[in-house]
Amino acid sequence: MNRKTIVSTATMMYLALGLGLFPLQGNSVLAETKLDNKTEKVFHAVAIDSKGVETDIKNVIFYWEEKISETAFVPHEMREVPVKRGTATVKIKFDGIKNIDLKPSGNGVPPHVTITLHDGKTGEFMLAIAGSFKGQSDFGEVELPAGELKKLAFK
């Protein structure tokens, strides 16, 4: 390559990058930073397990793992509770929930739940996914399987 070819190639690359025809590594980092700055509401709850032990949990999420193969899974962290109402799956957002009463079903079947909303409405459902509630306690990260809880009260 001669000097003219190098200069014209460099000029074309500069113009292409300037016009956004080729994405830069820096642009993708900028996009991730903008997404990371998105603030999500943090939920605080008190959980009572089947043994009567009370646990104060901050930054509560509903967690479950989707099995892809024998050695691979996809983790899901949600700020809503997926429940079954007949054949429909309803995702009830933590924003509207006052408390959740859980009744174990046994034999690996997800528990039955009674959800009370802030406006006083209640509904009886079956948990759609056998997941757990995760968050931070004063002593570290805590994971409480839904099947082993009696109550979860949001603050």
Side-chain angles (χ1 to χ4, degrees):
M1 289 169 64
N2 62 25
R3 180 173 161 78
K4 185 177 179 182
T5 306
I6 293 171
V7 170
S8 68
T9 304
T11 304
M12 288 175 55
M13 288 297 290
Y14 176 78
L15 288 173
L17 291 172
L19 294 173
L21 298 176
F22 297 109
L24 285 174
Q25 181 71 15
N27 286 344
S28 63
V29 171
L30 182 61
E32 289 173 12
T33 304
K34 286 180 182 176
L35 290 175
D36 290 343
N37 286 338
K38 180 182 173 188
T39 56
E40 292 184 344
K41 187 171 180 181
V42 176
F43 295 95
H44 186 193
V46 175
I48 301 172
D49 68 13
S50 58
K51 295 180 180 179
V53 177
E54 206 171 283
T55 306
D56 193 50
I57 310 169
K58 296 173 188 85
N59 197 20
V60 180
I61 58 167
F62 183 77
Y63 178 82
W64 63 283
E65 297 173 349
E66 179 181 5
K67 188 174 179 179
I68 302 299
S69 69
E70 290 299 316
T71 58
F73 65 91
V74 176
H76 295 274
E77 296 180 347
M78 303 166 30
R79 287 175 172 78
E80 57 194 17
V81 180
V83 294
K84 285 290 208 182
R85 185 172 187 106
T87 58
T89 300
V90 181
K91 294 180 180 176
I92 304 172
K93 302 225 180 269
F94 285 176
D95 270 340
I97 300 175
K98 182 177 181 180
N99 60 47
I100 304 171
D101 292 307
L102 299 103
K103 297 168 205 90
S105 300
N107 298 333
V109 177
H112 285 82
V113 297
T114 301
I115 296 179
T116 304
L117 302 178
H118 289 292
D119 63 7
K121 293 180 184 174
T122 62
E124 293 194 18
F125 310 93
M126 177 183 262
L127 209 57
I129 300 163
S132 58
F133 292 94
K134 287 177 74 170
Q136 294 292 322
S137 74
D138 291 337
F139 300 99
E141 187 173 317
V142 64
E143 182 173 351
L144 299 160
E148 296 177 19
L149 287 179
K150 284 175 38 180
K151 186 171 188 155
L152 187 73
F154 287 89
K155 291 185 171 185

